[in-house]
Amino acid sequence: MSYGKFAYLYDRLMEDVPYDSWIKLVNEKHAEFNVPGKKLLDLACGTGQLSIRLSKQGYEVTGVDLSEDMLAVAQAKAEQNSLQIPFYLQNMAELEGFSEFDIIGIFCDSLNYLETESEVKDTFKRVHSHLRSDGLFIFDVHSIYKIMQIFMNQTFAENDEEISYIWHSYQGEYPNSVEHDLSFFVLEEETGKYDRHDELHFQRTYPIDQYESWLGECGFELLDISADFEEGPPGSQAERIIFIAKKRN
């Protein structure tokens, strides 16, 4: 999937994403599980918002994403921050060619953009092969509750002077999947007119125990499951399910 114009609007539209909570979580799990190194792969890194924050925390970060446009934005931001972060264009389900990492993260529900079960399992296998022994795998997904009760058949909109959008969500082809039909209206300062840009995005999720099973099959030991950056097991209305696993010896 190419994000096109969306890549350049992404940071503006994602201002409310809890990036600081992600940084806190990574730091806490790095200490809690005594991870010896700080070599980290930010898989599906997007525009590099977390890559840059993690690099400033002292992690040796590598970023990978499927979108050239997203990576172009990420590279420009890293240079603006005087950070040396290598970014690579790859599909997470086909990850190859890297040395082993201490931590691999798939943050901000990026795993939900994979369409099939085999792609999720292939991603887990690729992550496993690129982790050091006892290395941590951290990822989050939308809950079924969020897909079916919050997104499904809903319309979201924002009307701002510089950028507005209309976002329709409806049932996808697969169980527990949703398609997001997005239209953006962006002010062109020179003309005073608004340019329209359209994007279609797909997301799919699975029951928690299905993710647990796949992690076990792919050689991981599950360390923790939580939700919405709170301690304790996910409740029935949890929206973001967070998994912490390690590569078994």
Side-chain angles (χ1 to χ4, degrees):
M1 171 174 53
S2 172
Y3 278 80
K5 184 67 177 180
F6 184 68
Y8 300 93
L9 307 175
Y10 184 85
D11 290 341
R12 173 68 182 276
L13 297 170
M14 303 296 282
E15 288 177 342
D16 294 332
V17 170
Y19 294 116
D20 290 341
S21 296
W22 276 119
I23 299 302
K24 182 174 181 288
L25 178 74
V26 172
N27 283 335
E28 287 177 349
K29 298 307 176 183
H30 181 273
E32 179 181 352
F33 296 110
N34 299 311
V35 180
K38 300 191 78 171
K39 187 176 180 183
L40 184 148
L41 175 62
D42 185 3
L43 198 50
C45 65
T47 62
Q49 287 282 56
L50 274 173
S51 295
I52 289 168
R53 286 170 167 81
L54 288 163
S55 181
K56 289 180 177 180
Q57 290 284 311
Y59 292 92
E60 181 186 346
V61 179
T62 297
V64 167
D65 201 88
L66 187 59
S67 166
E68 289 186 56
D69 294 316
M70 290 282 194
L71 291 174
V73 175
Q75 187 65 61
K77 289 196 299 187
E79 292 173 0
Q80 290 169 4
N81 284 271
S82 300
L83 297 173
Q84 298 296 320
I85 303 175
F87 292 102
Y88 297 93
L89 180 69
Q90 282 199 31
N91 183 329
M92 70 174 84
E94 301 172 358
L95 187 69
E96 62 179 0
F98 297 98
S99 58
E100 293 180 330
F101 294 90
D102 300 295
I103 301 175
I104 296 180
I106 305 178
F107 306 111
C108 301
D109 53 81
S110 296
L111 194 74
N112 291 133
Y113 284 90
L114 299 176
E115 289 193 15
T116 66
E117 296 182 11
S118 62
E119 287 179 306
V120 176
K121 288 189 283 187
D122 285 345
T123 297
F124 286 177
K125 291 174 185 175
R126 297 286 182 166
V127 168
H128 186 274
S129 68
H130 285 83
L131 272 174
R132 290 175 178 161
S133 180
D134 288 334
L136 288 188
F137 178 27
I138 304 173
F139 70 95
D140 73 289
V141 294
H142 288 318
S143 65
I144 291 176
Y145 169 81
K146 185 169 186 178
I147 291 285
M148 301 304 296
Q149 303 298 324
I150 295 180
F151 284 146
M152 195 63 64
N153 299 321
Q154 296 296 316
T155 297
F156 308 91
E158 180 174 318
N159 186 15
D160 188 80
E161 185 175 332
E162 296 181 356
I163 177 173
S164 300
Y165 66 81
I166 301 173
W167 166 6
H168 301 289
S169 296
Y170 49 88
Q171 176 70 52
E173 177 183 353
Y174 301 101
N176 302 318
S177 71
V178 64
E179 293 189 11
H180 305 292
D181 190 356
L182 302 125
S183 295
F184 303 96
F185 303 88
V186 183
L187 178 64
E188 178 57 54
E189 293 184 0
E190 292 183 1
T191 65
K193 297 181 180 180
Y194 287 84
D195 293 331
R196 174 172 173 167
H197 307 276
D198 296 305
E199 298 276 345
L200 182 64
H201 295 256
F202 168 93
Q203 289 189 303
R204 182 183 186 186
T205 199
Y206 303 89
I208 291 174
D209 59 1
Q210 183 65 81
Y211 289 110
E212 290 185 60
S213 176
W214 288 335
L215 285 168
E217 291 174 15
C218 295
F220 289 99
E221 175 187 344
L222 185 60
L223 301 175
D224 184 56
I225 301 176
S226 61
D228 303 322
F229 300 106
E230 297 178 356
E231 294 184 4
S236 62
Q237 296 186 359
E239 297 183 23
R240 183 191 303 273
I241 312 300
I242 301 170
F243 295 81
I244 312 294
K246 75 172 183 177
K247 180 176 179 176
R248 287 198 299 257
N249 293 325

